[in-house]
Amino acid sequence: RPPLAALVDFPTIYRRFAAKTELLVHTVAAVFEPPERGGLKWRSLEQMVTDWAEFLSRPNIGRVLRRLYSSAEEYPELLEVYWHRHGRHHWAAGQSTLKQARDQGHLAEDAEIDVIQEILFGTVLYQLVAGHQAPDARQIDTSLNAVLRQVGYQTGARRAP
């Protein structure tokens, strides 16, 4: 498929990429361009969830992530490229946003940010991989907000100190 999409032949592709793995790594890197300078920053957990839902519901993103995670055993370097190009930036921004929500009293003072983030990540993977069709933004948003409610997230009013 890549030669068709690029309108080039296989010899041209393999002159540029010595092996299939190199081609796949390049493809993953191209889909997940690094974030703009200054990184990701969300004003609130609600904005983060909305952005995640919109981003993850894009057809190419969901398809690439499903293929990426299903090929992790055969091509572990693909996950490494994804992590360095995209994942670590989102992870750090998610950590910052969750800590901000905790500091603002929307999460319990003793909320385990790492655990909450792992639960959110697991929810995303489930939405992308387990369904028979790609989820839409509303489905992802609903699932992530349900998880946040379960871990004690409160919108609006702050928790009493």
Side-chain angles (χ1 to χ4, degrees):
R1 279 192 188 168
L4 268 178
L7 298 175
V8 296
D9 59 8
F10 278 104
T12 302
I13 293 286
Y14 286 108
R15 270 194 301 275
R16 171 116 193 246
F17 303 103
K20 181 178 179 181
T21 301
E22 286 183 42
L23 173 61
L24 293 172
V25 165
H26 179 78
T27 302
V28 169
V31 170
F32 295 103
E33 286 299 319
E36 299 287 326
R37 282 186 352 174
L40 298 166
K41 185 165 176 74
W42 293 288
R43 291 184 314 275
S44 67
L45 212 43
E46 291 91 351
Q47 182 192 21
M48 182 183 85
V49 166
T50 299
D51 284 356
W52 282 11
E54 290 173 4
F55 177 77
L56 294 165
S57 66
R58 295 179 191 164
N60 284 347
I61 299 301
R63 186 172 34 255
V64 169
L65 283 173
R66 280 189 297 280
R67 289 180 180 167
L68 176 66
Y69 283 102
S70 67
S71 68
E73 195 165 315
E74 190 175 353
Y75 300 106
E77 55 275 12
L78 291 179
L79 279 178
E80 185 178 330
V81 168
Y82 167 74
W83 176 254
H84 288 291
R85 285 289 188 116
H86 185 76
R88 71 184 171 127
H89 303 291
H90 268 263
W91 191 266
Q95 287 270 306
S96 176
T97 305
L98 285 164
K99 287 175 184 175
Q100 176 184 324
R102 182 185 60 198
D103 294 347
Q104 292 174 345
H106 299 291
L107 291 167
E109 194 175 306
D110 62 349
E112 294 286 339
I113 300 303
D114 290 335
V115 172
I116 295 170
Q117 192 163 13
E118 288 173 10
I119 295 168
L120 291 170
F121 180 75
T123 302
V124 165
L125 283 181
Y126 178 80
Q127 287 289 318
L128 292 174
V129 176
H132 296 292
Q133 56 188 357
D136 62 25
R138 184 185 49 76
Q139 290 169 301
I140 296 170
D141 188 89
T142 299
S143 292
L144 292 174
N145 277 302
V147 166
L148 288 173
R149 283 191 304 277
Q150 290 300 311
V151 298
Y153 180 72
Q154 295 182 357
T155 59
R158 293 173 170 241
R159 291 183 178 276

